[in-house]
Amino acid sequence: IDYWLVRGEEIGPSLRKAIEKSKISVIIFSQNYASSTCCLDELVHILRCKEAYGQLVIPVFYDISPSDVQKQQGSYAVAFAQLEKRFKNSIDKVHKWRAALTTIANLSGFDNSNKTGLLSNSIICIIFFSTCYHLIHTKLVWAYLLLTIVCPS
């Protein structure tokens, strides 16, 4: 959520600060995710925050196989072929993106790869529950109450 993004400022630095202040990052991988250098840069930054601050990272694979993300196959292979041409003089950046995708795709997350349309309510509730579980175990017990409001049985 962009509460830390200051209106009127450049998004990049503000977004990086918001990521750093976050306790949890939910990354929704889609068919076109690897085509966005902004998304890939944010992914690398999220991974750094996970390693430096212990941030919880939850990957969601929406209409894309976790294996395609991990191994950069399918639409990710096409995107990276273009990125390697575009960034041939700074190929290290491409290698960082690939490594970040592989690392994050290996985390326990949610596979919604066979769905189309909007994310299903069940996936949203599962993500919310996981977030609440983490918060409860970090002494923020109020999160459990929100779970019953957002995801009633």
Side-chain angles (χ1 to χ4, degrees), residues 115-133:
K115 304 293 181 199
T116 56
L118 297 174
L119 282 175
S120 67
N121 288 338
S122 60
I123 293 294
I124 293 169
C125 285
I126 290 168
I127 293 167
F128 186 77
F129 176 75
S130 296
T131 304
C132 291
Y133 179 83

Side-chain angles (χ1 to χ4, degrees), residues 19-140:
I19 290 169
E20 289 165 10
K21 291 180 180 182
S22 298
K23 300 286 185 209
I24 300 167
S25 289
V26 177
I27 303 163
I28 301 176
F29 292 107
S30 64
Q31 290 285 335
N32 295 323
Y33 187 95
S35 298
S36 169
T37 57
C38 291
C39 287
L40 293 170
D41 285 339
E42 291 164 15
L43 184 70
V44 169
H45 194 66
I46 288 169
L47 184 58
R48 282 189 201 128
C49 291
K50 176 184 178 7
E51 293 166 353
Y53 311 120
Q55 187 181 91
L56 176 64
V57 177
I58 303 171
V60 177
F61 303 94
Y62 179 71
D63 197 29
I64 185 89
S65 163
S67 178
D68 284 354
V69 176
Q70 181 186 31
K71 299 173 184 171
Q72 288 97 59
Q73 299 172 338
S75 64
Y76 283 49
V78 172
F80 271 95
Q82 293 172 352
L83 290 170
E84 286 173 352
K85 288 179 188 173
R86 186 171 155 202
F87 290 93
K88 63 183 174 188
N89 294 330
S90 54
I91 201 70
D92 287 349
K93 190 170 207 156
V94 176
H95 293 305
K96 286 180 185 177
W97 292 333
R98 283 187 179 275
L101 282 169
T102 300
T103 301
I104 300 289
N106 277 322
L107 297 176
S108 178
F110 300 100
D111 183 355
N112 201 30
S113 59
N114 296 325
K115 304 293 181 199
T116 56
L118 297 174
L119 282 175
S120 67
N121 288 338
S122 60
I123 293 294
I124 293 169
C125 285
I126 290 168
I127 293 167
F128 186 77
F129 176 75
S130 296
T131 304
C132 291
Y133 179 83
H134 177 74
L135 293 174
I136 288 168
H137 284 79
T138 57
K139 307 287 190 270
L140 297 175

